[in-house]
Structures are given as C-alpha cells and as structure tokens.
Amino acid sequence: MLLGLACALGAAVLYGVGSVVQAVAARRLPAVEDGWVRLLRAAVRNPLLVCVVPADLAGALLHLVAIDTIPLYLAQAGIAAALPITAIVSARVLRERLGAGDWTAIVATGVGIAMLAADAGKAGSGHHGSGLVVGLYVLLAALVVFGFAAYRGSGRASGAALSLLSGLGYSGATLGVRVLGTPDWSPRTGLLLVGMALSGAVGFALYSFALQRVPVAGATAPLVFAETVVPTVVGIAVLGDVVPPGAWPLIVVGLLLSMAGAIWLAGFEGRTLDRVKSGGLVG
C-alpha cells in the first residue's frame, strides 16, 4: 500500500511541475490552422516541451505501479495532488502569494488523500473480458471526434471541453493498465497496449490545446476531475476494487475533499495568467 501511494504522489509531483512548463511551451506553438507540419516542427524544436515528455513518461511509470498495487480511487486521488503542486510551483516561480483559501484547498487535498489511504481496500485484478478492450477503442474514437469539435470552438468553454476530454483520454490509459493484468503475447495484449498508448497520446495533445486557451490550473482541474472520477467509478463497479465494510463514508468524504481542494485551486492560476503569457514564468 505504501509503495503504491508513494508512486502516485511521486507521479503527481512530476505531472504538477510538468504542467507549468508545458503551459509555457504550448502557448509558444503555432496554431493548427498554420499547418500540422509547422506545428510538429515547432514542438520538436521547443526545449521546454521536449523536457516535459521524459518527465511525463517517468510520472507515467510511477503511475503504472500505483494502478497495479492500490485501488484506483486512491491512485487517482493521489494524482489529483498534481494541481496543488501546480499552484505551489506557479506561486514560487512567479512570486505570487497563495491566499488563505488556496492553502486551505491544498490542506484539504492532502487530508482527503490521507483519509483514502487510511481506509483503502484491496486493488482489483486484471485479465477482464474483451468487451473492455472494445470499450477502450470506442472511447478513443469518441475522443478524436469530440476533441476535433471542441478545438473548432473558442474561448474558455472550448478549453474546458478539451481539458475534460484529455482527462478521459488519460482515464482510458489508466483503465487499460488495470484491464491488462500480466502481459502476454496474445492479440488482446497487443490491442490493449496500442489502445493505451493512443489514449495517452490523445490526452496529451488535447491538454496541450487546452493550455493554449485557458490558464494552467483552469485547464488542469477538469482533467484531474475526469481522470479521478471515471477510473474510480469503473474500478469499483467493474474492475473489482474493494471498499472495506463501513469505510464508504470516509472514502466518499476523502474523494470530495481531494476534488474540492483541487477544483478550488483552478482559480489561482487566473491571477497569474498575464505574467505567464508575457513570459514571466521563465524570465
């Protein structure tokens, strides 16, 4: 249990710091309308974005260990700590003061995660039926369609939709890990690995597009919400994650605290958006 939780929190640190760096990099990229070739060339040549990729991969590896060893409701709540870390890093680098409400939200997130860890049950097992593999590809197709529609929109609503869809993409990758179980050489394993990789790539792309339109924490909050709630529900309802008898109230309160704290912190980045856009984050 401790190993899985430590891995989840370690992944949150990498994701939280990486999201701030990714925000700066994403806002320096050309729009898709200028051409995919130009966009990809600029992304490859952007040193900040290049640094984010290995950090995200390292975070993903830690996340994989957490998914495999602890229930998804605890693993994903641990990942929700990325948003408080994003706020703290943004405040530190931009010399922006966190208010009493922000610190309360950070504490609430930590308390919520602690409550979940104290009452967590056993993690479910892998090797589920092929229906879940099909479901992963249905989700992937839906993300591409709705992601394209959201990108054609504009303003904060478009950014929030892109962020929420990116969270669903990361949720698909998370659930794929649990469904995978012990890898083998079967077609099922191959299909799952491809689907997980594509889901993660789509989630990364949609999040980058969201960061071009809304503040860091504003883009991160819907993502964290989706990638926490969806795996939690599916993990308990379908994949066999256990909630110990009598622990439901504490589990629910823990989830609500961690989510409420993370969502509150979505407002912090709004106070620093102008400085981020002007390059203050790296100046």
Side-chain angles (χ1 to χ4, degrees):
M1 180 69 72
L2 290 178
L3 173 63
L5 181 58
C7 288
L9 295 177
V13 171
L14 291 171
Y15 291 152
V17 175
S19 68
V20 178
V21 178
Q22 186 179 352
V24 178
R27 291 182 179 123
R28 294 176 179 177
L29 295 179
V32 173
E33 288 80 359
D34 295 336
W36 283 99
V37 174
R38 185 183 176 204
L39 174 62
L40 292 174
R41 186 182 295 123
V44 171
R45 293 177 177 177
N46 189 311
L48 292 176
L49 198 59
V50 170
C51 290
V52 169
V53 174
D56 275 355
L57 290 176
L61 290 175
L62 292 174
H63 193 190
L64 292 179
V65 176
I67 293 168
D68 192 52
T69 55
I70 57 179
L72 291 176
Y73 55 81
L74 177 56
Q76 297 309 102
I79 296 300
L83 191 53
I85 292 168
T86 295
I88 292 172
V89 172
S90 296
R92 176 69 176 176
V93 175
L94 295 174
R95 299 177 179 85
E96 192 77 19
R97 184 177 179 181
L98 285 161
D102 301 319
W103 284 114
T104 300
I106 291 171
V107 172
T109 303
V111 171
I113 294 171
M115 292 175 67
L116 291 169
D119 290 278
K122 294 182 179 180
S125 61
H127 292 299
H128 294 270
S130 59
L132 292 176
V133 180
V134 175
L136 178 60
Y137 279 90
V138 170
L139 172 64
L140 184 59
L143 288 175
V144 172
V145 173
F146 288 108
F148 181 75
Y151 187 84
R152 288 175 62 87
S154 60
R156 287 183 172 271
S158 173
L162 287 166
S163 178
L164 186 67
L165 291 169
S166 72
L168 293 176
Y170 288 130
S171 293
T174 296
L175 293 170
V177 173
R178 177 62 66 79
V179 172
L180 179 63
T182 303
D184 53 32
W185 297 100
S186 67
R188 173 185 176 278
T189 294
L191 287 171
L192 267 175
L193 291 175
V194 172
M196 289 158 50
L198 291 175
S199 294
V202 169
F204 182 86
L206 292 173
Y207 183 53
S208 294
F209 294 145
L211 286 168
Q212 291 180 320
R213 304 183 182 200
V214 292
V216 176
T220 306
L223 182 154
V224 170
F225 178 82
E227 72 170 349
T228 302
V229 172
V230 173
T232 292
V233 172
V234 176
I236 294 174
V238 180
L239 303 182
D241 284 348
V242 176
V243 176
W248 272 105
L250 289 177
I251 294 297
V252 171
V253 172
L255 281 171
L256 290 176
L257 278 175
S258 59
M259 286 295 92
I263 292 172
W264 170 272
L265 289 166
F268 171 76
E269 177 57 22
R271 303 197 299 270
T272 61
L273 176 59
D274 290 339
R275 295 180 66 187
V276 175
K277 283 185 174 180
S278 66
L281 190 58
V282 292

